[in-house]
Amino acid sequence: MSTGSQEASNSLLLLPSHQVERILRAVALGPAMEKALVAYSVQEARAPARVAAGGRSGVLAAMVGYVPGTALVTKLISIFPGNTLASRPSHQGLVALFDEADGRVLCIMDGRALTAERTAAVSILSVARLAPEGGTTLAILGSGVQAASHLRAACQLRPWDRIRIGARDLYRARALAAPHPNAAATTSFADAVRGADVVIMCTDSASPVVEDAWITEGCHVVSVGSGAELPPALVARSSVFVEWRGAAGAQPPAGARELQHLAEGSVTELGAVLAGTRPGRTSRTETTVFKSTGLAVEDAAAARAVYDLALELGVGTRIEW
């Protein structure tokens, strides 16, 4: 896919983190994520299962994705949950964008902000389609990059009467809550989620961070952590939605740890709901869970949007390749 004469030379664009972050503030990723997920669910787009290698401290994962007419990408992302204790990002990486017509490398961009924002955009698509109508109370668990991106995206979707931010680090939770007059911070996850209409978990915890009894019937729960933050009892009583059916059953890091016992046929792809080929929420009392594992078609769509706007704005450094 060609976007202009700038791509005719044998060169590529470099976009470091601060420029990617600047561009993402000007891009609405929701429509691009919806298009990519629908394309994947109707088998027009491709995203092989993620692979990873690493040790006890963390892993380096590789993801490849293709969305026809949009982008061909690969992403390398390291996930080191312990980094947060040293005030370093838990997720770090890069995305390489290729021309789908001739395979040229078009752009290499920082992957941390892109991952956070595309993850939040997909999560909020699930909120828009699966959350109970009229829900006014939002709970977010976590205080890192993902919690911040999800809070911004959720507030862009709709106004919330009450926002509760639960985190073990009260200082960071208060910092997230500060710009929102109707938001409160707490170190009690139970207090944060009880009575909430939407609960978004961004903790990377290796074990459940809530108890099933705390989650109100009819709540919509989003989980983006790569650990196992969902309690089994909640998964068992909920309608479960995913980006790809392999999230159930496929071994981590491709699949979700909390869904290993489920058959692929028991979960519903969000893209199928967006396409109208599968139902979403069917009643006010139905509890729904969206478990995000990430999908490379999301990275493809997000990277293309960032690249195109970078060209338009004249942002980035071009080098010969």
Side-chain angles (χ1 to χ4, degrees):
M1 182 175 181
S2 177
T3 59
S5 59
Q6 284 182 293
E7 295 181 7
S9 62
N10 187 28
S11 66
L12 64 82
L13 193 67
L14 294 179
L15 292 171
S17 59
H18 71 280
Q19 291 177 335
V20 174
E21 290 169 3
R22 171 191 165 189
I23 292 169
L24 284 169
R25 287 195 291 270
V27 173
L29 288 180
M33 295 302 99
E34 180 169 356
K35 178 181 176 182
L37 290 172
V38 169
Y40 179 81
S41 287
V42 299
Q43 301 183 0
E44 292 177 354
R46 299 288 182 267
R50 171 195 296 116
V51 296
R56 294 182 178 180
S57 298
V59 299
L60 175 64
M63 303 167 67
V64 179
Y66 171 54
V67 180
T70 299
L72 175 66
V73 305
T74 185
K75 181 170 79 171
L76 298 175
I77 190 82
S78 66
I79 306 171
F80 282 68
N83 280 2
T84 55
L85 299 176
S87 298
R88 288 194 297 270
S90 60
H91 291 62
Q92 301 170 87
L94 59 87
V95 175
L97 175 68
F98 296 78
D99 190 292
E100 66 171 293
D102 60 19
R104 284 178 298 124
V105 185
L106 300 178
C107 182
I108 295 177
M109 66 184 70
D110 179 77
R112 183 171 66 92
L114 184 137
T115 298
E117 296 300 328
R118 65 83 156 141
T119 301
V122 171
S123 295
I124 300 310
L125 278 178
S126 84
V127 174
R129 294 302 295 265
L130 300 172
E133 186 175 352
T136 59
T137 301
L138 168 70
I140 291 183
L141 303 185
S143 59
V145 172
Q146 289 284 9
S149 64
H150 279 74
L151 178 59
R152 286 193 300 271
C155 290
Q156 289 167 1
L157 174 69
R158 67 166 79 158
W160 302 91
D161 291 345
R162 291 168 294 278
I163 300 172
R164 303 174 191 146
I165 300 173
R168 293 182 175 88
D169 187 326
L170 185 59
Y171 176 82
R172 292 178 63 175
R174 284 174 172 168
L176 277 183
H180 306 277
N182 54 346
T186 178
T187 58
S188 170
F189 284 8
D191 289 346
V193 305
R194 282 195 174 107
D197 302 294
V198 174
V199 174
I200 301 177
M201 304 180 185
C202 310
T203 69
D204 274 334
S205 175
S207 59
V209 296
V210 301
E211 295 182 12
D212 176 50
W214 301 348
I215 303 297
T216 303
E217 185 179 62
C219 180
H220 178 58
V221 179
V222 175
S223 170
V224 303
S226 59
E229 59 191 1
L230 289 169
L234 175 61
V235 173
R237 72 174 171 96
S238 301
S239 299
V240 178
F241 298 82
V242 293
E243 289 139 310
W244 69 302
R245 288 190 300 276
Q251 290 292 310
R257 299 183 189 281
E258 302 101 319
L259 308 186
Q260 290 299 289
H261 62 290
L262 299 180
E264 286 190 12
S266 67
V267 300
T268 301
E269 288 183 354
L270 179 59
V273 176
L274 296 170
T277 59
R278 291 289 301 274
R281 171 179 291 272
T282 58
S283 74
R284 180 62 179 81
T285 58
E286 179 183 13
T287 303
T288 53
V289 166
F290 174 65
K291 179 61 191 183
S292 172
T293 56
L295 198 62
V297 296
E298 300 162 0
D299 298 307
R304 188 78 217 191
V306 168
Y307 176 67
D308 285 347
L309 188 53
L311 291 183
E312 182 180 332
L313 297 175
V315 172
T317 301
R318 188 165 289 279
I319 65 171
E320 293 304 313
W321 188 255

